[in-house]
Amino acid sequence: MIRINEHYRKLQASYLFSDIAKRVAAFQSDNPDTEVIKLGIGDVTRALPPACIDAFHKAVAEMADDATFRGYGPEQGYPFLREAIAEHDFRKRGADIAPEDIFISDGAKCDTGNIQEIFATDIRIAIPDPVYPVYLDTNVMAGRTGEFTDGRYAGLIYLDSTRENGFVPDLPSDPVDLIYLCFPNNPTGATISRSELQQWVDYARDHRSLILFDAAYEIFIQDNTLPRSIYEVNGAKEVAIEFRSFSKTAGFTGTRCAYTVVPLECTAYTAGGDPVSVRDLWHRRHATKFNGVSYPVQRAAAAVYSAAGQAQVMERVTYYLANAEHIRSEMEALEYACVGGENSPYIWIDSRTDSWSFFDMLLNAAGVVCTPGAGFGRCGQGYIRISAFNNAENVREAMARIRNALS
Ligand code: MLT
């Protein structure tokens, strides 16, 4: 008899964004004349930068000629892309990351979900609340939790992010082995200062734990005093893995390209306490289960680092941040307390009521889709997240409709 992985039965019925998509589809079929505006899932709407498209076309032409055709590429990614990343995203900012530390992949969602499998099943895991659901669900699937009761899985250490702590969790009071952090944060849009991040790195060093740092939204940081990478903080290379993505920076949500940084120095331990290179483990996993991102996509991603690519990417970032500023100022004018939207494309809004009720109200009364904060965890109850990823006209229209619905 074929049997299932019983841990899947502990999961919530469906993935948050699938659940929302189903509700929106049901609303749309009952209200075919309403033009729904989606400010829910953080999916970009602006086309790929022209520099990326040019590189894409050239690479496709290479694939059409036997003389320049490429078959399987290096599993870790082509050196031209890893070298550009190491130079532009890290060394230029004083973080000594080598191309060999970089693993190109098809998404930060996959990498943040897959990374847990190289660690023991009985480790103590600290996960923020609210949180991007992938970190949580993949640990549930792997059997690292007990049952889900009262909005939480048994066996995990939750790091509350609340108004009181400025949405930056406090260090855990009990020792933990694996720590998930995301800044600028999804969903709250909060940022972490260099000194706060240093405290986490020091904690990880003191406890021989490891930080999984999701920096998928770093490009939205406008305040230059804030760290964009955990490796800008002293001592991080031994105790941190960082995840980055071209999705939100250069519009690759549909094209797929991301990368994970696992420095040579990054260390985990055997049951007997012997140090092991995490980079070697991740390399072994990557080479076994992944065959690389396609050559044209990697060429398109590398074009992000050209002078034209950089200017075009920044133009898109500025565009989405202007949306964020508009959303935040409109909600504040309606006297809703907001976080984020300044160094982040997400605005986290205190709805002063149940998250899902507010979600339903915005959908029914304004035809606008947001994300209910409760979907990100117990501490998200009472909040909603509005995403700035849409066309400026749609965002203005959505906010005008919200203003009418709420006033
Ligand atoms: C979000 O809306 O939280 C993100 O778009 C989800 C993702 O990047 O997978």
Side-chain angles (χ1 to χ4, degrees), residues 3 28 79 96 115 125 170 197 241 283 290 310 327 360 375:
R3 292 181 46 230
Q28 193 72 87
D96 181 24
I115 194 83
I125 301 182
D170 301 327
L197 193 53
I241 292 175
H283 186 273
F290 189 62
Q310 289 285 288
I327 295 165
D360 285 334

Side-chain angles (χ1 to χ4, degrees), residues 233-347:
V233 163
N234 291 333
K237 287 211 289 181
E238 290 80 358
V239 293
I241 292 175
E242 183 164 304
F243 304 90
R244 296 264 189 122
S245 170
F246 293 96
S247 285
K248 315 295 158 97
T249 58
F252 275 58
T253 51
T255 307
R256 311 306 306 151
C257 198
Y259 66 89
T260 290
V261 186
V262 191
L264 175 65
E265 297 83 345
C266 189
T267 304
Y269 301 86
T270 63
D274 295 327
V276 173
S277 156
V278 176
R279 193 173 92 177
D280 287 351
L281 286 183
W282 186 241
H283 186 273
R284 187 69 179 81
R285 192 260 170 216
H286 206 68
T288 304
K289 296 197 177 183
F290 189 62
N291 250 341
V293 172
S294 78
Y295 173 69
V297 169
Q298 292 194 57
R299 278 290 179 202
V304 162
Y305 300 103
S306 64
Q310 289 285 288
Q312 292 157 7
V313 162
M314 286 323 294
E315 188 263 318
R316 281 156 180 74
V317 169
T318 307
Y319 180 94
Y320 291 126
L321 282 175
N323 286 346
E325 207 273 323
H326 182 66
I327 295 165
R328 184 170 171 151
S329 65
E330 287 284 315
M331 291 309 291
E332 284 178 340
L334 291 164
E335 298 186 354
Y336 285 86
C338 299
V339 189
E342 284 158 340
N343 296 287
S344 148
Y346 296 130
I347 301 93

Side-chain angles (χ1 to χ4, degrees), residues 17-314:
F17 292 106
S18 318
D19 197 8
I20 292 170
K22 268 189 228 140
R23 286 182 187 229
V24 174
F27 171 83
Q28 193 72 87
S29 102
D30 293 346
N31 302 273
D33 297 333
T34 307
E35 265 199 47
V36 172
I37 302 178
K38 294 181 181 164
L39 303 178
I41 193 166
D43 194 4
V44 291
T45 56
R46 301 285 312 273
L48 292 176
C52 299
I53 291 293
D54 284 349
F56 222 149
H57 281 304
K58 278 190 197 128
V60 170
E62 284 181 57
M63 297 300 264
D65 183 338
D66 285 347
T68 48
F69 169 79
R70 314 256 181 154
Y72 291 126
E75 297 110 358
Q76 213 178 320
Y78 282 99
F80 63 77
L81 179 55
R82 289 189 282 123
E83 279 157 18
I85 290 169
E87 180 56 28
H88 291 271
D89 287 347
F90 296 100
R91 288 180 175 156
K92 268 193 182 164
R93 293 193 58 85
D96 181 24
I97 293 297
E100 295 72 29
D101 300 337
I102 292 163
F103 294 76
I104 309 297
S105 79
D106 61 349
K109 178 181 185 175
C110 321
D111 286 352
T112 54
N114 289 328
I115 194 83
Q116 47 75 29
E117 71 176 64
I118 64 172
F119 303 112
T121 43
D122 58 352
I123 50 174
R124 291 155 301 183
I125 301 182
I127 289 198
D129 180 357
V131 73
Y132 179 43
V134 173
Y135 317 156
L136 194 57
D137 287 1
T138 51
N139 278 294
V140 176
M141 291 170 175
R144 290 202 182 82
T145 71
E147 295 299 329
F148 187 74
T149 30
D150 199 17
R152 291 197 161 173
Y153 287 98
L156 292 177
I157 291 101
Y158 283 89
L159 303 170
D160 291 358
S161 305
T162 59
R163 190 182 304 108
E164 288 68 37
N165 60 23
F167 299 94
V168 177
D170 301 327
L171 296 173
S173 40
D174 295 324
V176 296
D177 305 308
L178 190 65
I179 301 156
Y180 287 81
L181 293 178
C182 171
F183 289 103
N185 188 258
N186 180 11
T188 67
T191 53
I192 192 164
S193 71
R194 203 173 291 272
S195 60
E196 287 166 331
L197 193 53
Q198 184 72 62
Q199 285 175 29
W200 279 99
V201 168
D202 293 346
Y203 174 93
R205 293 179 71 90
D206 290 348
H207 294 83
R208 293 205 290 179
S209 39
L210 190 83
I211 299 172
L212 300 176
F213 190 73
D214 185 349
Y217 298 92
E218 57 76 32
I219 200 155
F220 294 94
I221 293 176
Q222 300 297 295
D223 176 347
N224 277 328
T225 65
L226 297 172
R228 284 164 184 266
S229 165
I230 196 163
Y231 306 117
E232 291 173 35
V233 163
N234 291 333
K237 287 211 289 181
E238 290 80 358
V239 293
I241 292 175
E242 183 164 304
F243 304 90
R244 296 264 189 122
S245 170
F246 293 96
S247 285
K248 315 295 158 97
T249 58
F252 275 58
T253 51
T255 307
R256 311 306 306 151
C257 198
Y259 66 89
T260 290
V261 186
V262 191
L264 175 65
E265 297 83 345
C266 189
T267 304
Y269 301 86
T270 63
D274 295 327
V276 173
S277 156
V278 176
R279 193 173 92 177
D280 287 351
L281 286 183
W282 186 241
H283 186 273
R284 187 69 179 81
R285 192 260 170 216
H286 206 68
T288 304
K289 296 197 177 183
F290 189 62
N291 250 341
V293 172
S294 78
Y295 173 69
V297 169
Q298 292 194 57
R299 278 290 179 202
V304 162
Y305 300 103
S306 64
Q310 289 285 288
Q312 292 157 7
V313 162
M314 286 323 294

